[in-house]
Amino acid sequence: MTVSRHIPAPEGTPARTVAAAPLDTNERAALHEKYLAERDKRIRTDGVQQYKPLRGILKLTDEDDPYTPVMPREPVHDHVDFLFLGGGFAGITICARLKEAGFTNLRIIESGGDFGGVWYWNRFPGAMCDTAAMVYLPMLEEAGTVPSAKYVRGPEILAHAQRLARTFDLYPHALFHTHLESLTWDEDNSRYKVKTRQGDEFTATHVAMGTGPLNMPHLPGIPGIETFNGTAMHTARWDFEATGGGWNGETMDKLKNKRVGVIGTGATGIQCIPHIGRDSGETFIFQRTPSAVAVRGNHAIDPEWFSQLEKGWQTKWGRNFVQIMSTGMAETDHIQDGWTDGVQRITARMMEECAKEGRAPVATDYIKAYHLSDDEYTTAVRARTDEVVKDPTTADNLKAWYRQFCKRPCFHDEYLETFNRPTVHLVDTDGKGVERIDATGVWVAGKHYPLDVIVYATGFEFNSDFTFKSGLEVYGRNRLTLTEAWKNGMRSYQGMHVHNFPNLFIIGFTQGSALASNITSNYTDHGPTLISILKKKAELGAKVVEVPKSVQDDWINLLLSTTVDILGGPECTPGYYNNEGQEEGLKERLNMARYPAGSLAFFDYIADWRANGKFEGLEFDGKPAVVGA
Ligand code: NDP
């Protein structure tokens, strides 16, 4: 029997693509004018400063864990070879590989009560991943499991994280409910002194940090926000005690007779609003900027079908996804979703336009093709809003007037439909946001909306200082802090190594692969890189591995050498992708920087870098691994 090269979608699954028709020059010009007008409504002088921490405003803050009781434990005072900060997919995948490679003297510090990271904390109803589970969930084959659906819900993702932690026996290495306070490089002993808020004081020869890009929830700086007397929560700390129900989508029975307001209509709002709308007496969605919501086309997957795939399928599919997202071309598309469809559409358009002129494409052709195909695509997504939402004014107000990649593209099959419920009301603020909040509700354009509950789906800190976001400080050589080293933007080599911070490894995606459409791919690729470095260090008998300043500077110059960036652009509406619409200086560019040739090229470059044995750019006790490298 031949197994199809992508998951067969059962009959009745909504078509994943939108039928986009060409626009003429006048239509495109009018569209761009509208984009600029809508952007201008939203530009604010306070930019990223408009947000506030949860502390002092909400019952549950970033310091609280509503999901797992804190168990008292004795502080630890010892030494470990390897410390990993963060128990999300970064920590799990790296530590799994470390254990496999025989590095067993390791510890994982996690502020939550279990493994899972972002999927531990973000338990809002409806939470799910909009990247296909076959590539998003790491190490599926090793864990001997397959996802239940093309896109899976939060509980299944969290369960997978915990399954991996069990499979690789990581639990004995973890300190949960533990907040790292400081890491201090001890020059004399070539190790970090580690302090936690729980009283632990130990040392670690190597430290890796995988704290994720969006880990500090924030609130809008709406006047009077602290005066609200009802129940209020941020989606990253869901208060099931107040709402009833559960993370598996159980009815939130305590909202039945309540008037519930939701502030925030980004990727999180899109996912939780259908559940809140379903369960609340009345729901009011206070919208500053609509999200563009395309078809998701989710469907269950028959495990039998999966069982017929050849061994190694996940690596192959992961690579296929990266290839398509990086180049827009591949022999086949195993994933077939809105992400892969979007980039293939752009590349096809570029090839078509260049073929008309009989020449090979150059970088600017890609941007041109993006704009052309994007104008058609976003027009079709807006038309979909009219098809789904019955009330024409509501449908109009739900239309997004910006390019697809100005904000996180959203895919959902129940969000727009929710606005057809008689109890769900869209309060569009025409780009201004909520005016003020008082003890009993929310004000918009001079009108008061009495509320019992406010849900803030208002996102996370992005460009703020390292210490503020992480709650810890890292002291490198000569007590230089990471906050100081990065005060004008992140500076690294390959996104992983930082000059003046020996034996420290950043496990992220900025300044390296930067694959935003599938974050876990970035992490899983770091495992073999890190292990090859540690093995080389052990082989050389070196105490310290570090990147010299000149190498880091060269890398930064390479990152800054590209000016082609399809995410940004002057027509984008404000958001965390573009520094809230304020001028993007060096700091913001560095904090979003990526390997210029793209994710696929980075993965190929780093695979060669770790395989050729030269470890170019790194110094082991002040010397290159190979003389002359
Ligand atoms: P976002 O920052 O994307 O959205 C915040 C929302 O709050 C925006 O709609 C914003 O409006 C709104 N807002 C802020 N201030 C006000 C105000 N004063 N009045 C009214 N509205 C206001 O946060 P999210 O949590 O939605 O998403 C963050 C990221 O998390 C995503 O980009 C994505 O990377 C990730 N995510 C991924 C998911 C997945 O499926 N993999 C699912 C959910 C999140 P405005 O647009 O005008 O600023």
Side-chain angles (χ1 to χ4, degrees):
M1 176 188 169
T2 320
V3 183
S4 69
R5 305 177 85 185
H6 53 85
I7 302 171
E11 220 173 292
T13 304
R16 75 199 151 82
T17 53
V18 289
L23 302 181
D24 67 28
T25 316
N26 290 338
E27 287 168 326
R28 291 191 69 212
L31 183 59
H32 298 169
E33 239 173 74
K34 173 80 173 160
Y35 282 0
L36 289 173
E38 290 292 326
R39 178 205 63 181
D40 290 349
K41 279 182 197 170
R42 292 169 172 83
I43 299 280
R44 306 166 50 119
T45 50
D46 51 1
V48 290
Q49 304 300 331
Q50 67 184 283
Y51 297 105
K52 284 186 173 182
L54 276 50
R55 276 162 255 180
I57 298 176
L58 297 185
K59 183 182 117 195
L60 295 172
T61 73
D62 49 283
E63 303 263 306
D64 300 301
D65 181 352
Y67 316 124
T68 313
V70 179
M71 302 298 285
R73 65 165 177 83
E74 289 301 311
V76 297
H77 302 280
D78 57 4
H79 175 78
V80 291
D81 187 40
F82 197 94
L83 170 67
F84 199 98
L85 176 54
F89 278 128
I92 292 168
T93 53
I94 297 286
C95 292
R97 292 288 176 237
L98 282 171
K99 283 202 81 172
E100 259 181 354
F103 296 93
T104 51
N105 183 9
L106 60 96
R107 174 166 294 145
I108 302 159
I109 284 191
E110 165 56 49
S111 59
D114 206 326
F115 285 102
V118 72
W119 298 105
Y120 177 85
W121 290 116
N122 286 271
R123 298 199 192 192
F124 56 86
M128 65 194 305
C129 185
D130 57 15
T131 302
M134 307 84 73
V135 290
Y136 180 77
L137 295 180
M139 298 175 148
L140 281 166
E141 289 185 88
E142 280 143 299
T145 186
V146 291
S148 65
K150 187 161 180 179
Y151 304 95
V152 290
R153 295 196 174 274
E156 185 169 337
I157 304 174
L158 180 61
H160 182 62
Q162 294 168 353
R163 180 188 300 112
L164 285 177
R166 284 193 304 276
T167 305
F168 290 93
D169 198 24
L170 299 181
Y171 277 92
H173 301 278
L175 291 182
F176 294 121
H177 285 139
T178 301
H179 298 255
L180 204 55
E181 198 171 64
S182 64
L183 290 169
T184 307
W185 178 246
D186 174 356
E187 197 74 58
D188 296 336
N189 297 298
S190 304
R191 54 183 54 179
Y192 283 93
K193 292 180 182 166
V194 184
K195 275 191 186 178
T196 76
R197 277 191 236 158
Q198 282 60 39
D200 309 297
E201 287 195 18
F202 59 96
T203 52
T205 310
H206 310 97
V207 179
M209 296 202 297
T211 49
L214 299 165
N215 53 12
M216 178 63 81
H218 67 198
L219 291 171
I222 301 170
I225 188 169
E226 65 290 344
T227 63
F228 183 61
N229 265 343
T231 301
M233 69 194 83
H234 189 282
T235 45
R237 296 291 184 280
W238 195 266
D239 189 350
F240 283 111
E241 223 171 79
T243 64
W247 198 23
N248 281 306
E250 297 91 338
T251 307
M252 293 179 279
D253 50 328
K254 294 187 182 169
L255 297 183
K256 195 171 153 202
N257 299 314
K258 298 279 190 316
R259 289 168 62 91
V260 180
V262 183
I263 300 181
T265 48
T268 298
I270 299 315
Q271 294 186 343
C272 66
I273 284 167
H275 288 254
I276 298 170
R278 183 196 67 187
D279 297 343
S280 307
E282 297 274 329
T283 308
F284 298 84
I285 316 298
F286 299 97
Q287 174 182 267
R288 189 164 72 177
T289 309
S291 278
V293 186
V295 175
R296 180 194 285 273
N298 199 12
H299 58 82
I301 307 176
D302 178 2
E304 270 301 297
W305 180 83
F306 258 122
S307 68
Q308 296 161 34
L309 293 178
E310 75 284 15
K311 202 166 173 287
W313 68 267
Q314 197 182 22
T315 307
K316 209 163 121 192
W317 284 32
R319 169 92 186 169
N320 177 250
F321 185 77
V322 178
Q323 179 173 348
I324 296 175
M325 292 311 294
S326 304
T327 66
M329 284 187 281
E331 197 198 314
T332 188
D333 175 0
H334 290 300
I335 310 304
Q336 300 217 342
D337 69 356
W339 293 103
T340 59
D341 180 60
V343 289
Q344 288 177 103
R345 191 191 291 259
I346 299 169
T347 303
R349 195 54 184 266
M350 175 178 75
M351 302 311 273
E352 194 186 304
E353 294 295 321
C354 290
K356 278 189 212 158
E357 294 172 25
R359 62 177 180 82
V362 295
T364 47
D365 288 320
Y366 191 80
I367 297 295
K368 217 170 124 194
Y370 165 48
H371 290 175
L372 269 172
S373 87
D374 192 70
D375 288 350
E376 294 161 9
Y377 172 84
T378 57
T379 303
V381 172
R382 283 185 288 273
R384 175 178 179 250
T385 308
D386 285 326
E387 281 159 30
V388 177
V389 180
K390 290 188 184 129
D391 175 58
T393 309
T394 307
D396 257 352
N397 286 333
L398 284 166
K399 289 176 188 162
W401 296 101
Y402 48 83
R403 294 193 187 288
Q404 189 187 173
F405 295 112
C406 289
K407 284 184 179 279
R408 171 89 179 182
C410 293
F411 308 95
H412 212 283
D413 297 336
E414 290 114 44
Y415 175 71
L416 293 173
E417 289 75 356
T418 300
F419 291 89
N420 291 333
R421 288 179 178 271
T423 52
V424 174
H425 316 284
L426 180 69
V427 183
D428 183 56
T429 65
D430 196 25
K432 296 183 187 70
V434 167
E435 200 172 283
R436 66 190 164 92
I437 295 176
D438 64 15
T440 56
V442 156
W443 290 84
V444 173
K447 183 173 171 189
H448 187 246
Y449 294 84
L451 297 171
D452 303 301
V453 179
I454 301 180
V455 172
Y456 294 99
T458 46
F460 303 84
E461 287 294 305
F462 189 68
N463 263 324
S464 39
D465 281 349
F466 170 76
T467 308
F468 177 68
K469 275 185 65 171
S470 62
L472 85 127
E473 189 53 281
V474 185
Y475 299 87
R477 289 196 194 276
N478 305 316
R479 285 193 66 81
L480 174 71
T481 63
L482 202 50
T483 305
E484 179 64 21
W486 286 359
K487 78 169 187 253
N488 295 320
M490 178 178 174
R491 298 187 88 84
S492 78
Y493 174 50
Q494 299 174 341
M496 187 187 261
H497 314 279
V498 186
H499 176 62
N500 273 324
F501 295 85
N503 294 5
L504 179 76
F505 308 96
I506 310 296
I507 306 300
F509 59 98
T510 312
Q511 306 200 342
S513 45
L515 185 72
S517 50
N518 190 23
I519 297 293
T520 54
S521 289
N522 305 281
Y523 301 153
T524 48
D525 198 67
H526 279 314
T529 308
L530 186 56
I531 283 157
S532 66
I533 294 167
L534 294 179
K535 281 190 173 162
K536 178 52 77 178
K537 181 170 171 280
E539 182 192 313
L540 294 170
K543 289 187 168 159
V544 164
V545 57
E546 190 182 354
V547 59
K549 183 173 182 307
S550 59
V551 173
Q552 180 171 285
D553 287 347
D554 287 348
W555 186 260
I556 293 296
N557 288 337
L558 172 75
L559 302 179
L560 294 175
S561 65
T562 178
T563 49
V564 177
D565 181 0
I566 76 160
L567 286 181
E571 287 166 356
C572 274
T573 194
Y576 80 88
Y577 275 20
N578 68 348
N579 197 31
E580 298 294 338
Q582 294 202 314
E583 200 186 331
E584 288 178 88
L586 181 65
K587 176 179 174 180
E588 291 75 29
R589 279 191 73 196
L590 287 174
N591 288 347
M592 292 287 269
R594 58 190 355 260
Y595 188 62
S599 308
L600 184 72
F602 180 83
F603 289 131
D604 287 345
Y605 152 79
I606 206 78
D608 179 57
W609 182 90
R610 63 183 175 239
N612 71 25
K614 295 185 198 158
F615 297 90
E616 283 146 330
L618 290 188
E619 285 186 354
F620 296 83
D621 286 348
K623 294 190 287 286
V626 174
V627 179

